[in-house]
Amino acid sequence: NFFEMHPNDEFHPGEHYLAELQRSYRSFLNSKPTSGHIIIICGPAGRGKSLLNTFILREIFGSAMDAGGFLVAGNGFNKALGESAIWYVDDNQSTSNLSAHKTFSETIKKHAATPEVVYTPKYHDSRVIPWYGRIHVSCNDDADSISIIPDLDINIRDKLCLYNVNDAWEATFYEKTEMAELIREELPYFLRWLIDDFEPYEYMLTPVKPRYGII
């Protein structure tokens, strides 16, 4: 299993991730946007975290952009981000600076809580547009890398899901072109299964508080 199992064997992180993915993909597929959690995946290097965030999600949703400069440093023009369904932050970003870490924590919390973004293309005035995309963060599990994880205060815990990668699980990587072809060949079958056949555990669903749909 890619994700580390909870010690009491009652929580199924892989199933939970699939439930989040199903909700996101279904909402885009049906043109009925919904809000969703911030997804953070932490684990050893060489397990496929970056492949998932930077390539597989792009293939699924049609767009995925590196939002590190925008979310960590607040860098300027964000036309491409405003038009992308997935914002990812890979572990090449640094929030070792306390001010940068605070900015990152507050910014991702805001975008998870409020489905809009200030859209700032070059040579045009800024304007607010709706944005119901998803923010995905990946990091290694060393002390420096996990500094990217936002402050887990009470105001953000309900807005994110933090997954640990199973230490014992090893990814099989192929040459870049071969890997891309294999993923593109298999994804349609996986996504059809995800939409038609996958059923999340009932305890993961939140019909009373449907803001994010999944606990």
Side-chain angles (χ1 to χ4, degrees), residues 7-8 13 22 32 36 38 42 45 77 86 102 133 190 202-203:
N8 63 14
Q22 182 192 65
K32 295 180 178 179
I38 303 159
C42 177
F77 302 111
I86 300 295
K102 182 179 179 181
F190 165 72
E202 192 166 340
Y203 74 84

Side-chain angles (χ1 to χ4, degrees), residues 7 20 40 97 101 119 152:
E20 292 278 358
I40 302 176
N97 180 298
H101 188 263
Y119 182 66
L152 300 178

